[in-house]
Amino acid sequence: MSRPDYRSGAIPPTPPRDQRRPSLAPSRLGPPNNNSSYNSQQDHSQSQSQSRSDPRRAGGSSGALQAALQSNGSSTKEDWAADEPATAAEDGSSPRAEGTGPTTTGATGRKGDENDPLGLMRGGVLAANPDLPGDIRSAVLLHSKAFDPKVFLSTVHPNATFKDLNIGRERLKDSLEQRSGALQQLVSAEWDRFVGVKNATETVYEEMKQGPLAPGEEHGVKDVRETLRLASSRADAVFQPILDARTKAERLKSTLGVFERSKFFFNLPGILGEAVETGKYDVALQAYKKGRYILASRPAQLLGLPVATTVQQQQQQKRIYDKVWGQVEKIIGDLRATLGKRLRDTKRGLDEVEKTIEILLELDPSDDPVWIFFDTQHRHILHLLRTSADASSSRIRIAMDQLPEEDLEDRKVAADLRTSVASLESLDGERIRESGAGSEIWKLIFDLVRNLSEVILQTLPSFWKVAKGYMEGKYQKKNGGQVQSASSRRSPTQCRVMTQDIVTLYVSLLSQFFTLSSSTHSPAPPLGTASASDPTAVIALPPFVPPSSNAPTICHWLLKTLGEMSECVNDVGALELAGEASNSLKELLASTRWRFIEATCAAWVRDAKVFYRLETWRPDPDEPSTTIYLRQLAAFQRFCAISAYRIAGGTEERANAALANASGATLSGRGRQESEIPSEFVRKIKAAFLDGLYAFLDGLVHVAFSDPESIFTTGKSAAARIGRGDGRSKEADVSNVDVRILLTVSNLSYLRTTTIPRLINQFQAAFKEEIPQDVEMLMEVINQLDSILFDDYVKRKSADVAKIIKQGVLGGMVDWYEAPKPTEVHPFIYDALLSLVLVHAQVSETARPLVARTLGSLVEELARVSLEAFSKVERFGMGGMLQATLEIEFMHQTLSQHVSPVADDTLQSIYKTISRSYYRKPTANSSGELQQELEGLKRTLVSSRRATALQFLAFRKVKEKVVEPVSL
């Protein structure tokens, strides 16, 4: 028989009844052992045996039943499992059938269930009560250590009667007695063996005390102890490194567990460093905020360690916190510095700036990032404006100083003006004007305005957007905190002051260059100046205008420069700047318009005074009796007026529609509503418009009496410049003053009837300004100039005719008293009329519309001279009277188409004068003779007219083209 393993605490199974024999009590097998584990296990086994063998300790029915249940339930599941096979082998029946032990399956059919130990119910306890909670389940099962008889009875048999409980108690009691009786029978049957074993054991014990178990040998364990000591020493030598390594491994594993639980905290410096290095600042901010929040609210979660209970543990954890968080703060400090540099970088975009400010605000910076941006941008923008203006102004001054002197000569200025005026009717005229005289300087001026405007438009919108957001409380910490620094105490309204500084400098730089007025309430020039007190006063060109430039070029570049400035002002105005900034920009634009109007009007009048140098006497294809000079004059006047209208604030569309309208009719309101041109501008432009016309008229007179070689701007001969007005190839010699006067008079006539009325109507329609008195005065001047020129021409031509008439009548060639009867017209009459034919030819070739007017005036002068000459003849005889009558009548009928009422009256007066001076000799038939002579005179007159018909064919009536004057 093998020795049972008492250390496991298990009870050996009960053998069959026929094989039972007394077993050895564990306490009888040897001396007591000091091993605590062995003693505790032995005591446990003994207590179990006692509990099984003494179930009768419970008294009374209910109390005894509870005690019996308690005693029976103290056996473990293993005990029952060990006993069951023996019982089954003994009688072939399961003890569970009697309700004496637990089961896991079997009859209950449910794992972990057991039959009722009282035998009052069929099936398992749990099967009958399937809804029991977990703690109640363990309290109603006998094999459970938590078995409670009270809970068992109240749960499994809550409705059992007293009788049932007594029956169950008796049944349980019988079961226990059967088990106790079996044990007693075993002891009685094997008593001798028990006694024998006891004696043998005592004998062996005595012998072992004298031998191996002697006290000197430490009861036989000395050698074993020494062996175990040596084994332990060798085991320590062999296994201690392994155990130490295992300890280290456990510690490392524990540390790794801490790191795993605190992976975010220990990786935070690496996460931040990588995010900052790759520029993912939002990722770095999110990680930093997360770590800071956990550190402030739940620091124990960072390391994943138990709460520190000692000072040493607290200090140790604090060192870990400080070391890791110190690295985090160093990285965040570097990030603050990096973001601060980005804010000071003036080349960053607005989105990047806003994002940088928002990130910095979350990083608790020492300086307010918004004010870092404001101060940096403010200094940068002001510096850019100053340096840009200084550089551009310096280049302009150098270009002005290097302007060639020959560019300022009259001929060179006139030649450039001719090119610009020709461009007004050219398809690529704008390109020509853009590259006109002084264009190099104008480009520099335009670059000045554009560069300053670009600085404003590239920097101010982002500056103002950030400033506006800051004033509205946008760039503040989300938790409502303020950045505690000197800059945080600055007022948000200081942003508006900075914006005003930028706009003021922009306005100041442009005002200084263009010498703008300081007026702040109206576009008019400052009071006290000549142009303010007298808008019609002619002023010199402003200093910024290149002196070599002409009006078309100046207007082109002024409009282009003003457009650039207006676009900038409008774009900045769209930012809705508050306070004086918006007003300053409006005043800048108004002052610039006025200054540019002054420049335009000054150049307009200046060029009008030298415009006569553009007269080439080339005929106008549409109006051959006039020169293209009138077309150029009208184009120049119209272009300057359109430019002035646009500079004053009008739109290009309306300007072209009104001033380029051929009829000059008043435009109906169409399109968008347009603001009126200020009256100050209208008066200024009107003065230049009228002064230009007067200058043109003066130039016409000047060019008529001046040598063409001293006026023309090129070296070609004057005769090569003009063809005849009727399209014939013969050229007119404009070196002849008579030709120039005729053309000038013809031009004046066309100006008076067509060109000037059309220009006046266009001006009045565009500027909505009626100028009847100015027009009346202008027409009066034109008439005066026309009379001066025309009378000069007629006077010189009539002088030749007068000389012929006086020589023929009073030169002694004819004795008017003794003259015979007339047979023909005297030659001097032919000579006088032929001189008129020459005049007719010259006028027809040069200015055909002036033929009737010229011949009419010359006929009047011819009649006056004839009257004067015949009035000096003392008396006429019959032949003389008839001869004089024949010649006057011949002249009258030949020039009948050009005889005006004045000339007719003068001719009638000649007839009367001759009749009064007629002295008749007395004859018998004097009246009949006179009548007969008159009939002969008629025949002589007819024959003379017929003989000279071809010579004086020019005096016949022709159909003239009637020019309808333009009504004013």
Side-chain angles (χ1 to χ4, degrees), residues 283-508:
V283 176
L285 175 62
Q286 185 178 3
Y288 175 70
K289 290 172 63 178
K290 180 179 179 182
R292 186 173 60 182
Y293 172 76
I294 297 177
L295 181 64
S297 60
R298 300 190 299 273
Q301 294 184 4
L302 288 176
L303 297 181
L305 296 175
V307 178
T309 57
T310 63
V311 176
Q312 183 179 2
Q313 291 177 349
Q314 293 176 355
Q315 292 177 350
Q316 184 178 5
Q317 291 185 6
K318 186 177 184 302
R319 284 195 299 272
I320 297 175
Y321 291 147
D322 294 343
K323 184 175 182 179
V324 177
W325 197 253
Q327 296 178 0
V328 171
E329 288 296 343
K330 182 179 182 301
I331 296 173
I332 293 300
D334 295 339
L335 176 59
R336 292 191 191 99
T338 301
L339 294 178
K341 290 180 180 179
R342 293 184 66 180
L343 277 183
R344 293 180 177 90
D345 186 359
T346 57
K347 297 180 181 179
R348 301 288 179 179
L350 177 59
D351 294 339
E352 188 174 359
V353 167
E354 290 181 327
K355 188 174 182 180
T356 302
I357 293 175
E358 292 174 355
I359 294 176
L360 271 174
L361 287 173
E362 296 293 338
L363 297 179
D364 296 331
S366 58
D367 295 329
D368 195 334
V370 180
W371 284 107
I372 293 176
F373 170 78
F374 287 153
D375 293 336
T376 302
Q377 287 292 320
H378 182 252
R379 290 192 301 269
H380 175 66
I381 296 173
L382 296 182
H383 175 72
L384 283 181
L385 288 174
R386 291 191 181 98
T387 54
S388 178
D390 292 343
S392 298
S393 299
S394 177
R395 289 192 292 267
I396 293 172
R397 285 194 300 271
I398 294 174
M400 285 282 197
D401 295 339
Q402 294 178 351
L403 192 66
E405 294 183 0
E406 56 269 18
D407 288 351
L408 304 179
E409 295 179 356
D410 291 343
R411 286 182 176 271
K412 181 64 168 62
V413 172
D416 293 335
L417 178 60
R418 181 188 303 279
T419 303
S420 296
V421 171
S423 72
L424 301 179
E425 297 180 337
S426 175
L427 295 178
D428 59 345
E430 186 172 354
R431 180 188 61 82
I432 297 174
R433 291 190 293 275
E434 187 160 343
S435 59
S439 59
E440 296 80 5
I441 300 176
W442 278 114
K443 290 178 181 178
L444 296 176
I445 295 174
F446 178 76
D447 289 340
L448 167 67
V449 177
R450 182 176 59 184
N451 292 339
L452 292 179
S453 300
E454 286 179 351
V455 171
I456 288 291
L457 294 178
Q458 291 175 359
T459 57
L460 187 59
S462 58
F463 183 90
W464 176 246
K465 183 176 181 180
V466 176
K468 189 175 181 181
Y470 182 69
M471 288 185 290
E472 294 174 354
K474 178 180 179 181
Y475 300 103
Q476 305 290 341
K477 294 187 66 175
K478 294 183 178 179
N479 57 4
Q482 295 289 336
V483 178
Q484 298 300 323
S485 64
S487 60
S488 65
R489 293 190 294 270
R490 298 165 69 174
S491 173
T493 57
Q494 190 172 351
C495 306
R496 185 178 290 110
V497 176
M498 288 183 171
T499 306
Q500 176 64 29
D501 292 342
I502 296 172
V503 174
T504 300
L505 181 59
Y506 172 76
V507 172
S508 175

Side-chain angles (χ1 to χ4, degrees), residues 614-684:
L614 275 61
E615 177 61 277
T616 60
W617 307 109
R618 191 180 303 279
D620 189 332
D622 298 331
E623 294 291 337
S625 61
T626 62
T627 63
I628 61 173
Y629 175 81
L630 297 186
R631 182 190 296 269
Q632 294 173 339
L633 180 152
F636 175 83
Q637 195 78 348
R638 188 178 296 110
F639 179 81
C640 290
I642 290 175
S643 300
Y645 183 87
R646 293 174 59 190
I647 292 174
T651 61
E652 181 179 6
E653 179 183 3
R654 180 173 178 81
N656 291 329
L659 292 168
N661 185 9
S663 64
T666 303
L667 296 178
S668 60
R670 58 183 180 182
R672 64 180 182 86
Q673 187 68 22
E674 186 172 345
S675 58
E676 297 290 337
I677 303 299
S679 59
E680 296 85 356
F681 287 91
V682 175
R683 289 198 298 268
K684 187 71 178 177

Side-chain angles (χ1 to χ4, degrees), residues 228-306:
L228 291 176
R229 187 185 63 79
L230 293 175
S232 177
S233 176
R234 291 183 180 180
D236 289 341
V238 174
F239 295 104
Q240 190 62 41
I242 298 175
L243 295 176
D244 293 342
R246 181 179 179 182
T247 302
K248 292 181 180 180
E250 292 294 336
R251 291 179 180 176
L252 181 60
K253 183 177 180 181
S254 176
T255 304
L256 290 176
V258 172
F259 273 101
E260 183 65 25
R261 291 190 298 270
S262 307
K263 179 170 61 176
F264 170 76
F265 181 68
F266 290 106
N267 289 341
L268 185 57
I271 295 174
L272 293 177
E274 182 180 357
V276 171
E277 184 178 356
T278 56
K280 298 179 180 179
Y281 302 124
D282 50 348
V283 176
L285 175 62
Q286 185 178 3
Y288 175 70
K289 290 172 63 178
K290 180 179 179 182
R292 186 173 60 182
Y293 172 76
I294 297 177
L295 181 64
S297 60
R298 300 190 299 273
Q301 294 184 4
L302 288 176
L303 297 181
L305 296 175

Side-chain angles (χ1 to χ4, degrees), residues 874-891:
E874 294 182 358
R875 58 181 182 174
F876 292 91
M878 175 66 74
M881 183 271 296
L882 294 175
Q883 185 68 43
T885 302
L886 174 62
E887 292 170 352
I888 296 301
E889 188 64 24
F890 178 81
M891 184 173 58

Side-chain angles (χ1 to χ4, degrees), residues 96 178 223 398 448 496 520 553 625 645 790 805 808 840 883 933 961-962:
R96 290 188 297 271
Q178 289 178 5
D223 294 338
I398 294 174
L448 167 67
R496 185 178 290 110
T520 59
T553 301
S625 61
Y645 183 87
F790 186 77
I805 295 298
H840 183 281
Q883 185 68 43
E933 293 297 333
K961 179 180 178 181
V962 179

Side-chain angles (χ1 to χ4, degrees), residues 551-609:
T553 301
I554 291 173
C555 291
H556 170 80
W557 281 104
L558 288 179
L559 283 170
K560 189 173 182 179
T561 304
L562 182 62
E564 180 70 23
M565 187 185 301
S566 300
E567 183 177 355
C568 176
V569 170
N570 293 334
D571 291 344
V572 175
L575 300 178
E576 297 180 356
L577 299 180
E580 298 179 1
S582 180
N583 294 333
S584 298
L585 292 173
K586 293 178 181 178
E587 293 168 5
L588 169 67
L589 192 58
S591 299
T592 303
R593 290 185 185 278
W594 177 258
R595 190 56 168 162
F596 284 8
I597 283 293
E598 288 183 331
T600 300
C601 293
W604 188 350
V605 176
R606 182 202 65 176
D607 288 355
K609 292 181 178 180

Side-chain angles (χ1 to χ4, degrees), residues 6 79 122 190 222 262 284 299 320 326 329 456 491 619 630 643 733 740 792 828 830 906 944:
Y6 294 100
D79 298 335
R122 294 182 179 276
E190 304 295 338
K222 182 177 180 179
S262 307
I320 297 175
E329 288 296 343
I456 288 291
S491 173
L630 297 186
S643 300
D733 185 10
R740 298 198 301 272
D792 179 82
F828 74 89
Y830 291 136
T906 305
S944 299

